Amino acid sequence: MAWMRAAAGRCGIEALLLGARMRLLTQSQVRDLVRMDVAVSAVEAAFVAHGKGQTQMPPKVYLDFPQHHGDLRAMPAAMGDAVGLKWVNSHPKNPILHNLPSVMGLYVLSDPATALPLAILDATLLTAVRTGAAAAVASVHLSVRHRTLGIVGCGVQADFLVEAHRVCFPEIQVVAADRDPSAAQRVVDRWGGQVGAVGDAAGCDIVCTATPSRTALVGRDAVMPGTHINAMGADAEGKQELDPALLKDGVVFVDDWPQASHSGEINVALHMGLITPDDVTGSVCEVVAGIAPGRPSPEAITIFDSTGLAIQDLALAQAVVAAAVEASVGLQLDLRQ
Ligand SMILES: NC(=O)c1ccc[n+]([C@@H]2O[C@H](COP(=O)([O-])OP(=O)(O)OC[C@H]3O[C@@H](n4cnc5c(N)ncnc54)[C@H](O)[C@@H]3O)[C@@H](O)[C@H]2O)c1
């Protein structure tokens, strides 16, 4: 068809392979197709593009539903010849009240030239994988030692944080901490290592925090010089995991200033006046792109304040859809019929 050839011309081999019909991918299909090493490379490339100012990514839009103990977020992004939107929620009481996951995501990948929908895929696993990958990319670029990995908060994200770090640092040993010891034990049963207190995990070379906490869990004194911290848990206003003294003494890199100042690890300390914007050194994406300095010394404590970028989702969605095309996986539909 003429429009297909035109789309192929505009978007290259991907549009040609996708053909006339949109591809629909379920969570289990995404699980079979997604690979953590591919995710790490895709997220690293997305950080480089964002660091160089080659993306379009307005801050996340939040719709709050306090009566349902949750929110929905729209995360659009454009990068290269790809554009997409993630529509994702956070309803922490879903498992207890409705026997549903607390986070469920949907991704729509479109052709920027025509707006033709190319694929719709489950983005629940996508979110978890790209988040683990983002932490590992930050660790590669900011950490100075990588013998031990402390995980504070052993829920859904924990496995993906460990898996992504093992892609980059195959020998890294895990110390897992959770207020629920059985959650920490589950992580250790899967990945090896040991269960510890929060202070033990915080004493590791690389520390990942992944809890929905609204009070500081990781104390200043627990963290050694030269540590790199990936603060992953705070992704909404009022959330925090680190002692503000760490933000003051450490070298802080955000993924995106508008998002981080609104909803990242720094948001509470900023609003309380415990830190100022001058306490934030810069953007992790510019460090990864090689256009801004990263760790200033081997002794510095570096902190990555991750809120989760729409370009991470776009990069991974593209990779998964390309893998689906290659493997002929997914239901193909023509929505215009
Ligand atoms: N930065 C990002 O891109 C990004 C992406 C996905 C999720 N998140 C955030 O990461 C956090 C974790 O997500 P998840 O899906 O793994 O959640 P989860 O509910 O599956 O797991 C959270 C874990 O933290 C533990 N925990 C809670 N409070 C604790 C405390 N005070 N001390 C020790 N452990 C504690 C819980 O017992 C649980 O095991 C959430 O806040 C989520 O919104 C961020």
Side-chain angles (χ1 to χ4, degrees):
M1 284 152 73
W3 70 265
M4 255 182 76
R5 282 194 298 277
R10 283 190 297 268
C11 301
I13 190 72
E14 197 172 344
L16 180 65
L17 290 170
L18 286 163
R21 290 179 294 167
M22 190 202 68
R23 198 169 287 262
L24 192 66
L25 297 171
T26 65
Q27 190 171 133
S28 60
Q29 288 168 330
V30 172
R31 179 173 287 110
D32 290 344
L33 293 164
V34 77
R35 280 180 34 195
M36 187 55 92
D37 56 339
V38 173
V40 169
S41 302
V43 167
E44 187 169 48
F47 278 8
V48 170
H50 192 56
K52 291 182 173 173
Q54 297 167 345
T55 60
Q56 289 188 62
M57 193 186 65
K60 293 178 204 183
V61 174
Y62 287 79
L63 300 178
D64 290 315
F65 301 101
Q67 70 277 32
H68 300 303
H69 316 284
D71 65 66
L72 271 153
R73 305 156 191 198
M75 299 176 67
M79 180 171 55
D81 63 359
V83 59
L85 168 73
K86 186 169 79 170
W87 183 231
V88 65
N89 76 307
S90 172
H91 282 66
K93 297 199 173 174
N94 261 2
I96 295 165
L97 297 181
H98 306 293
N99 195 26
L100 283 170
S102 49
V103 176
M104 293 172 285
L106 190 70
Y107 203 88
V108 182
L109 190 68
S110 303
D111 173 5
T114 60
L116 183 77
L118 301 175
I120 294 182
L121 51 154
D122 179 87
T124 310
L125 186 66
L126 210 67
T127 302
V129 172
R130 65 73 150 150
T131 304
V137 169
S139 295
V140 166
H141 289 268
L142 290 170
S143 71
V144 69
R145 297 186 308 260
H146 1 88
R147 292 162 305 191
T148 53
L149 173 67
I151 302 288
V152 178
C154 295
V156 171
Q157 271 308 138
D159 287 319
F160 299 95
L161 291 164
V162 178
E163 185 181 359
H165 279 83
R166 282 272 167 86
V167 165
C168 303
F169 311 110
E171 307 297 327
I172 204 160
Q173 291 299 306
V174 173
V175 178
D178 197 290
R179 65 180 174 193
D180 171 5
S182 69
Q185 188 59 53
R186 186 195 59 76
V187 168
V188 168
D189 288 346
R190 175 153 183 205
W191 299 100
Q194 61 191 72
V195 172
V198 168
D200 301 322
C204 288
D205 298 339
I206 297 172
V207 182
C208 296
T209 56
T211 75
S213 181
R214 289 177 175 268
T215 53
L217 308 171
V218 175
R220 170 70 187 86
D221 294 345
V223 179
M224 311 285 283
T227 301
H228 171 66
I229 302 174
N230 294 309
M232 310 306 289
D235 60 354
E237 213 173 340
K239 284 182 167 182
Q240 62 171 155
E241 301 181 286
L242 307 182
D243 184 340
L246 275 165
L247 300 175
K248 199 78 194 160
D249 294 351
V251 185
V252 179
F253 298 91
V254 296
D255 53 7
D256 183 72
W257 171 255
Q259 285 191 187
S261 54
H262 172 263
S263 54
E265 179 60 41
I266 58 174
N267 89 85
V268 174
L270 271 177
H271 291 140
M272 290 177 73
L274 300 174
I275 60 168
T276 71
D278 287 344
D279 291 307
V280 175
T281 296
S283 142
V284 79
C285 296
E286 290 183 1
V287 174
V288 175
I291 58 177
R295 163 176 287 279
S297 72
E299 298 77 33
I301 294 170
T302 51
I303 298 168
F304 169 38
D305 177 357
S306 161
T307 54
L309 301 182
I311 52 162
Q312 294 168 225
D313 299 298
L314 176 59
L316 190 53
Q318 253 191 311
V320 167
V321 172
V325 171
E326 179 81 25
S328 299
V329 171
L331 180 67
Q332 289 186 267
L333 303 167
D334 188 343
L335 287 181
R336 299 164 306 155
Q337 281 179 347

